Amino acid sequence: MNVERPIISVVMSIYNEPEKWLKNSIESILNQTFSNIEFIIVNDNPGRELNGLIVRGFMEVDSRIRLIENTDNLGLTRSLNIAFKEAHGTYIARMDADDISLTERLETQYQFMEANPEIGVCGCWAQFFGNIHIFSQKVYKVPLSPSQIQTALPFYNPLIHSTSFFRKSVIEPFEQLYDEKYINAQDYMLWEKLLNCNIVLANLENILLRYRVSKSQISSTMKQRQNAVASTIRLRVLEKLGLYFSEDEKSLMISLTNREPLIQESQLNDAEELLIKTKTFLKETDPSNAFLVDQLIYSEWLYCFLNFAFKRKNAIRFFNSTLFQFRFLSMKSLVKILI
């Protein structure tokens, strides 16, 4: 199908993904129930002949694909900026070369955006698959409403990058959508940037993507650098809201959000005080999201305690804290606390 003016531009950057993964990912976009699309694929590994062979093979049977060949390896951030500038659609959808979009993904997100013109970017929930532990979380759930996303931003990335669906008109004013100074956590940085520009973000509760978990992901191989960028964003977001920390508190907050181990009881005491301070401030700032704040802070307290060197003999400390919320306690976390 040859479409002169696509409604949706799908953007993907490829590098060194296994052939089967790449083919499955491309097919999941070409088989969407919403067909008025262009599919922009950036080959960011020009030295890998297989990439070109795979994409051109699909191009022979589907003219909706546009291949951009980088002459050098530019990285994901720069490749995405190139692709976004080339997009002709009213909407732009992100896709990763190792994930799989369910067939109704684009149609569902398109209908949502058409019905909610105030939304600038939407994402959705996803199902984990691949290299996951039998007891691991099976569904990747992110907050839904714009206010919940704003509340969650200081704690974790509130949109799944490969599910993001942009209204092109709200991002066109940016010379560079993604900040090219950052090769890690570029999507987390983007959500902060868009929220600072009063662009509204939302998520659909629908599971519209299968999110592959593998040891080769950026979030696994470059986790330390990614955490450093994410920690900077979290502190900046909290300070923009009006919550300020001492230098010692900043260092501790970075340690907590990076899930670093606590080896002294004094550290646990300081962490508890810091989380209570954060919880009190956020609930006073936005009482409507009190439940979400309780959940987020409880999760931080849980990870904090699980990373405490002497948790087994101090388990009662975890339960006696005002940060503990019985309603959020799972059997899996209970076992981790006690054993």
Side-chain angles (χ1 to χ4, degrees), residues 20-36:
K20 183 178 180 181
W21 295 8
L22 182 53
K23 286 182 175 180
N24 288 344
S25 185
I26 293 174
E27 287 170 352
S28 76
I29 294 298
L30 298 180
N31 293 331
Q32 290 288 303
T33 56
F34 192 100
S35 60
N36 191 349

Side-chain angles (χ1 to χ4, degrees), residues 118-170:
E118 75 283 2
I119 303 297
V121 185
C122 80
C124 61
W125 288 3
Q127 180 183 41
F128 287 114
F129 78 109
N131 186 31
I132 59 174
H133 191 273
I134 188 171
F135 295 115
S136 297
Q137 182 181 354
K138 300 300 187 293
V139 177
Y140 194 162
K141 297 181 180 181
V142 281
L144 303 176
S145 73
S147 67
Q148 289 174 340
I149 288 173
Q150 180 74 66
T151 298
L153 188 68
F155 298 94
Y156 64 91
N157 192 331
L159 268 81
I160 304 168
H161 197 193
S162 56
T163 71
S164 53
F165 193 94
F166 300 78
R167 193 181 303 276
K168 187 180 180 183
S169 60
V170 305

Side-chain angles (χ1 to χ4, degrees), residues 183-198:
I183 61 173
N184 305 112
Q186 60 276 106
D187 54 329
Y188 199 2
M189 184 74 68
L190 177 59
W191 311 142
E192 181 202 13
K193 173 182 176 179
L194 296 181
L195 287 172
N196 286 342
C197 295
N198 298 316

Side-chain angles (χ1 to χ4, degrees), residues 20 34 135 139 169 182 211 241 284 287 299 313 331 334:
K20 183 178 180 181
F34 192 100
F135 295 115
V139 177
S169 60
Y182 298 92
Y211 184 94
L241 290 173
E284 290 176 350
S299 180
K313 65 179 182 180
M331 182 58 68
L334 178 61

Side-chain angles (χ1 to χ4, degrees), residues 91 106-119 121-123 144 146 165 167 201-204 206:
Y91 298 99
L106 296 182
E107 183 174 6
T108 303
Q109 290 185 290
Y110 168 74
Q111 290 176 348
F112 174 79
M113 295 292 274
E114 287 287 289
N116 298 276
E118 75 283 2
I119 303 297
V121 185
C122 80
L144 303 176
F165 193 94
R167 193 181 303 276
L201 312 182
N203 282 307
L204 285 73
N206 311 58

